Amino acid sequence: MHKFMMKLARSMAAIGGVVLTLLIVLTCLSISGRLLNGFFHGDLMASLAPEFAEWMIAIGVGPINGDFEVVEAGVAFAIFAFLPLCQITAGHASVDILVNSFSRGASRFLRMVTEIAFAGVLVLIAWRLGAGMLSKLHNGETSLLLEFPVWWAYSASLVAAVVAAIVGVYMGAVRTIEFLTGRILIWDGVETDH
């Protein structure tokens, strides 16, 4: 089961990484286009090569229309896509100054409670994201410039959020079993050795 969950989490992170990379390329192209457009509209190009400047502007050199809408939707998906891997590898930030002084049993109890809380929050987020997606689907809201249905972005994020919730519930169950049996099922380097 752990191999499947890890593969699922890594797959979502890889998809999130591809989306994030494409968003970076899109942003760089849009910024470059914006700078070039300003350059071609400038006095220097108007005096040196006005026909070339007009031609470049005419073919559409400039910022990418609606780039921020795509970035907004894509980053939301990427965040949710990275959550499962962060959850299964205990990659969340933690401050362990006080926890390191706890007994092994108390540390396992705290980890169990933390994982169950994370699972609950992830399930809540997925549930509310699903409700938001249905609301956007029914009211027909579209983005301002590109006019794509807003529910598309919600549905992509919902898929990643559901995977994060599944992984969160799985890790909550694993940490509960670890607490009840006193055995470490998934070693992730966070456990204490005292």
Side-chain angles (χ1 to χ4, degrees):
M1 180 71 149
H2 185 68
K3 285 183 181 180
F4 172 75
M5 289 294 181
M6 184 61 87
K7 188 173 185 178
L8 183 63
R10 287 179 194 261
S11 297
M12 284 305 300
I15 293 168
V18 167
V19 168
L20 201 53
T21 301
L22 292 174
L23 293 175
I24 290 168
V25 169
L26 173 73
T27 302
C28 290
L29 289 174
S30 186
I31 291 170
S32 299
R34 185 172 286 116
L35 291 173
L36 285 172
N37 186 277
F39 176 69
F40 291 133
H41 275 95
D43 292 336
L44 179 65
M45 285 304 289
S47 62
L48 292 178
E51 295 85 18
F52 179 71
E54 287 176 21
W55 177 73
M56 290 299 283
I57 292 168
I59 65 169
V61 172
I64 296 172
N65 187 34
D67 59 342
F68 64 91
E69 293 175 351
V70 176
V71 169
E72 181 181 33
V75 166
F77 168 78
I79 289 168
F80 285 112
F82 293 130
L83 276 176
L85 186 61
C86 190
Q87 189 68 24
I88 203 164
T89 60
H92 298 291
S94 64
V95 180
D96 298 332
I97 295 171
L98 181 62
V99 175
N100 288 337
S101 64
F102 290 172
S103 69
R104 190 178 288 171
S107 294
R108 285 191 181 145
F109 176 75
L110 188 58
R111 287 198 76 196
M112 176 189 71
V113 170
T114 303
E115 290 289 351
I116 291 171
F118 264 122
V121 169
L122 290 171
V123 168
L124 178 66
I125 288 171
W127 170 48
R128 297 313 304 156
L129 195 55
M133 184 204 69
L134 289 175
S135 172
K136 299 298 181 189
L137 176 66
H138 292 303
N139 72 20
E141 184 178 339
T142 60
S143 66
L144 181 65
L145 296 175
L146 296 179
E147 296 182 354
F148 68 83
V150 173
W151 73 266
W152 290 356
Y154 273 75
S155 64
S157 294
L158 179 61
V159 170
V162 166
V163 171
I166 290 168
V167 171
V169 168
Y170 165 73
M171 289 306 296
V174 165
R175 298 304 178 205
T176 301
I177 293 168
E178 286 181 349
F179 173 71
L180 295 174
T181 63
R183 292 185 357 234
I184 296 174
L185 301 177
I186 300 174
W187 183 270
D188 55 20
V190 179
E191 297 79 9
T192 57
D193 279 341
H194 46 282

